[in-house]
Amino acid sequence: MIRTLLATIALALWQTAALAQTNHQHVSGSACGEAVLRCASKVTPAFAPDGTLWLAWLAGGQVSVASSKDGGQTLSAPVAVTKLPLNLDTGPDARPKIAIDRNGGIAVAFAIFKDKAFNGQVFATRSADGGKSFAEPRPITSSSESQRFETIGVDADGSVFAAWLDKRNRIRAQQSGRKYEGAGLFFASSKDGGATYAEARLASDNTCECCRLGLAFAGPGRPVVVFRNIFEGGVRDHAVVSFADPATAGEVRRVSNDDWRIAACPHHGPSLSISAAGTYHVTWYSNGKARKGLFYARSQDEGRTFSEPLALGRPDRNPARPYVLAGPRGTVMVWKEFDGERTAVNVTISHDEGRSWTKPVAVATTKDTSDHPLLVSDGHKAYLSWMTKADGYRLVPVGDEP
Amino acid sequence: MKRRLLAAIFLLGSLVAAPGADTTSDFKLKPFGRGSWQEVLRAHAGRPTLVHFWGATCGPCKVELPLLGKFMKEHAGIEVVTISADLVPDLPGATRAMLEKAGLRPAENWIFSDGFVERLRFEIDPTWQGDIPRTLLIERDGTITTIEGSAEIPVLEQWSTRQRAAPK
């Protein structure tokens, strides 16, 4: 209780401390310094069951949320999730998370840097009034050790499943004189729509500490998380963990053997989507000895085995930030390519559960910095969701090709 | 209990005052923008140079930076350039503080100052996706060896020894 109170007080104080920094943040990643969508460096989409598009974004040192009934053309008045500017985690693979339950309840999670050493803290909140207001954000866990790279998803029963990277076991190990590589993959569930979470549990120790996680559900109560793991010898290759239920993590299974032995922060995490047929679709980046670049693989046995990795993109155009979505009209993948002047988002589609893919086509370009390309579905169509500094926010239908 | 809580609140208040504090304001970082990479290469042409890409929020970088500071002190013949390539914007205060603490203030220190980081990285190495730390060892003839991830100091020492032996 006291920890939660202290963390809340710390959040409030940080809001003040972050004010000065916020005015300068637009210099690097965003078009301007206010809290509006046009100034956002990171935008995360989610469709509500009624077809309303919801966006959560980072801008002006705040997390804001707004909705659109016309595919992003016009937005509702933004609602501030955080009331004052914060020292938000704006790292390359960080972003605010938003998930919407079947009753229109909105769960949001985000991370801040809580100290000079860039230790993170994950906060969560929810709106129970259709996005008109959000509860005061609360720490997702009572632990005070660094947490970052949270992900959230709504389960079939309306509970919210969260996973994140957490350094509590690293600190414990160091205190007892043991070496500990990376961070731990922790998880928790919320039975109140994302306002509060049950006690955090460990899914796996020694994961890479600076890459986003991928989350999807294999069925009701069966979350699956893909992450960059640290395998024997410091090899930072990808792994998947399938949960038997939201409180029971399964074993860690390797997605691919890329042999990327590196003591570094790749800042470049994977993406996971699971089709109605139960196929796991995973896409990721590696710079390993065995393979370099972007790759895709699928599993039809709940992650026990994966197909031979398929390379994506033109190697001479620095393909980056892959994302996959098993959508209503096939499985879609997007990624960025850069030719020295211009960034393009390429799309490829599979209509046979990932066995074959269409020739990639560029569906959007920009001439300045941009957010990662994301995919989102309204249950009928898949869309590319992409924030760009020069051209603003874009929602582009994809996956209509035969 | 109440007293402990109040003390903790006071402590938190002190902590949050810290991030903006910067005691190294006379220590300037060079802004790294479009064209800066060619500037670096031109300025150090013909001399063995170690270029280190790092970032204040990168865990392995925090471990490596003081080792590089020591390396620089002990290898006067090697020119050391650091470039903060962290993608969290606006960290000059933290960057200066970490360089200072690591003994790297006398090095030539840059910080990414253009938000279009893809283009900055493309100018340096079109295949670099932004992972840090990353060290480039540049020989007198311009040959570049890239070390991805944390560099091992014995490897840097061996390279330094070879540079001393190489014809000038």
Side-chain angles (χ1 to χ4, degrees):
Chain A
M1 181 62 180
I2 287 175
R3 269 191 185 172
T4 305
L5 177 62
L6 289 176
T8 306
I9 292 165
L11 176 67
L13 289 170
W14 261 100
Q15 290 177 328
T16 314
L19 263 167
Q21 295 182 28
T22 305
N23 293 332
H24 301 284
Q25 285 187 345
H26 68 274
V27 172
S28 289
S30 48
C32 37
E34 293 90 66
V36 297
L37 178 64
R38 184 66 191 86
C39 303
S41 56
K42 321 244 182 195
V43 180
T44 308
F47 274 103
D50 69 355
T52 303
L53 172 70
W54 287 87
L55 300 177
W57 66 83
L58 293 188
Q62 286 181 248
V63 178
S64 303
V65 167
S67 64
S68 174
K69 299 274 189 194
D70 57 8
Q73 299 288 317
T74 55
L75 277 187
S76 63
V79 173
V81 174
T82 51
K83 308 300 183 226
L84 285 169
L86 279 168
N87 194 16
L88 292 162
D89 182 354
T90 54
D93 251 3
R95 65 176 53 256
K97 307 302 182 308
I98 181 166
I100 301 168
D101 67 31
R102 60 189 165 200
N103 300 318
I106 303 169
V108 169
F110 61 91
I112 65 165
F113 288 126
K114 64 175 183 170
D115 59 27
K116 281 204 293 183
F118 301 100
N119 286 305
Q121 185 164 26
V122 175
F123 284 83
T125 180
R126 93 175 289 250
S127 170
D129 57 7
K132 293 187 186 73
S133 65
F134 284 82
E136 187 66 31
R138 294 165 61 105
I140 204 164
T141 171
S142 58
S143 170
S144 58
E145 303 304 343
S146 187
Q147 314 125 26
R148 289 179 75 191
F149 304 109
E150 74 290 344
T151 181
I152 57 172
V154 177
D155 208 338
D157 66 354
S159 62
V160 181
F161 179 84
W164 65 90
L165 300 179
D166 190 310
K167 290 198 171 169
R168 69 184 75 183
N169 286 355
R170 183 188 178 101
I171 304 302
R172 277 185 203 138
Q174 283 172 346
Q175 283 166 352
S176 56
R178 286 177 291 120
K179 201 176 172 195
Y180 183 102
E181 293 290 340
L185 174 64
F186 277 73
F187 65 97
S189 281
S190 168
K191 297 288 183 194
D192 58 8
T196 58
Y197 286 79
E199 193 174 342
R201 297 179 188 209
L202 175 73
S204 184
D205 267 320
N206 305 118
T207 72
C208 184
E209 64 268 53
C210 45
C211 289
R212 75 180 179 195
L213 306 175
L215 167 67
F217 289 87
R222 292 164 56 210
V224 180
V225 177
V226 65
F227 57 100
R228 191 185 294 280
N229 196 28
I230 305 180
F231 288 100
E232 187 77 25
V235 173
R236 298 197 184 212
D237 286 355
H238 286 87
V240 69
V241 58
S242 302
F243 288 70
D245 60 65
T248 312
E251 64 181 278
V252 171
R253 290 170 172 149
R254 196 167 191 143
V255 172
S256 125
N257 203 327
D258 304 331
D259 197 16
W260 195 10
R261 191 180 305 266
I262 188 169
C265 289
H267 292 306
H268 207 148
S271 170
L272 165 74
S273 190
I274 301 175
S275 71
T279 305
Y280 289 17
H281 301 276
V282 181
T283 181
W284 72 94
Y285 164 71
S286 180
N287 199 25
K289 265 191 205 159
R291 58 181 64 83
K292 298 176 192 295
L294 302 189
F295 298 92
Y296 161 83
R298 64 197 172 89
S299 170
Q300 292 184 298
D301 54 11
E302 299 180 331
R304 285 176 185 83
T305 59
F306 278 86
S307 61
E308 181 65 20
L310 171 74
L312 304 175
R314 283 182 52 168
D316 62 337
R317 291 212 169 156
N318 209 2
R321 311 296 174 191
Y323 201 90
V324 62
L325 178 74
R329 298 186 188 184
T331 307
V332 186
M333 281 195 286
V334 288
W335 65 89
K336 294 208 273 194
E337 291 189 3
F338 184 63
D339 65 5
E341 292 293 335
R342 197 182 63 139
T343 301
V345 174
N346 284 13
V347 174
T348 182
I349 299 150
S350 171
H351 294 290
D352 55 7
E353 290 284 320
R355 287 178 188 85
S356 63
W357 294 86
T358 59
K359 190 179 170 194
V361 289
V363 290
T365 62
T366 193
K367 287 192 167 178
D368 204 334
T369 193
S370 57
D371 191 8
H372 303 350
L374 304 176
L375 291 164
V376 63
S377 169
D378 62 2
H380 304 286
K381 276 185 176 179
Y383 298 85
L384 163 69
S385 170
W386 194 32
M387 185 66 202
T388 66
K389 183 177 179 180
D391 308 297
Y393 177 72
R394 294 171 178 193
L395 189 76
V396 183
V398 292
D400 284 337
E401 289 82 356
Chain B
M1 177 58 95
K2 199 184 245 180
R3 195 174 287 175
R4 273 171 59 194
L5 181 60
L6 285 173
I9 291 168
F10 177 75
L11 179 64
L12 278 167
S14 316
L15 276 175
V16 296
D22 179 12
T23 55
T24 56
S25 54
D26 58 329
F27 170 17
K28 302 282 185 233
L29 300 171
K30 298 176 84 168
F32 193 97
R34 200 170 189 190
S36 296
W37 180 240
Q38 287 307 317
E39 200 184 312
V40 169
L41 293 180
R42 273 196 303 272
H44 297 272
R47 299 189 298 278
T49 304
L50 180 156
V51 183
H52 182 63
F53 294 92
W54 69 290
T57 67
C58 151
C61 302
K62 287 180 197 173
V63 177
E64 185 179 9
L65 212 59
L67 303 176
L68 268 183
K70 188 165 176 281
F71 173 84
M72 184 179 75
K73 205 171 170 185
E74 293 168 356
H75 298 79
I78 304 296
E79 299 185 1
V80 175
V81 177
T82 78
I83 302 174
S84 168
D86 212 324
L87 301 184
V88 177
D90 264 10
L91 298 171
T95 302
R96 282 193 297 261
M98 286 177 70
L99 288 167
E100 179 100 52
K101 197 174 166 194
L104 283 161
R105 182 171 176 159
E108 178 181 319
N109 298 304
W110 297 74
I111 184 166
F112 269 22
S113 299
D114 178 342
F116 201 3
V117 291
E118 287 98 330
R119 195 169 58 196
L120 294 183
R121 290 200 302 257
F122 198 87
E123 287 182 4
I124 298 159
D125 176 354
T127 67
W128 179 30
Q129 295 269 7
D131 46 277
I132 47 176
R134 186 180 183 91
T135 301
L136 271 54
L137 304 175
I138 310 176
E139 297 179 22
R140 284 193 179 85
D141 65 359
T143 305
I144 298 178
T145 305
T146 300
I147 300 173
E148 294 174 346
S150 303
E152 290 177 22
I153 297 302
V155 171
L156 299 185
E157 282 169 348
Q158 285 162 18
W159 178 79
S160 171
T161 304
R162 284 200 303 275
Q163 302 317 300
R164 276 204 303 274
K168 290 182 184 173

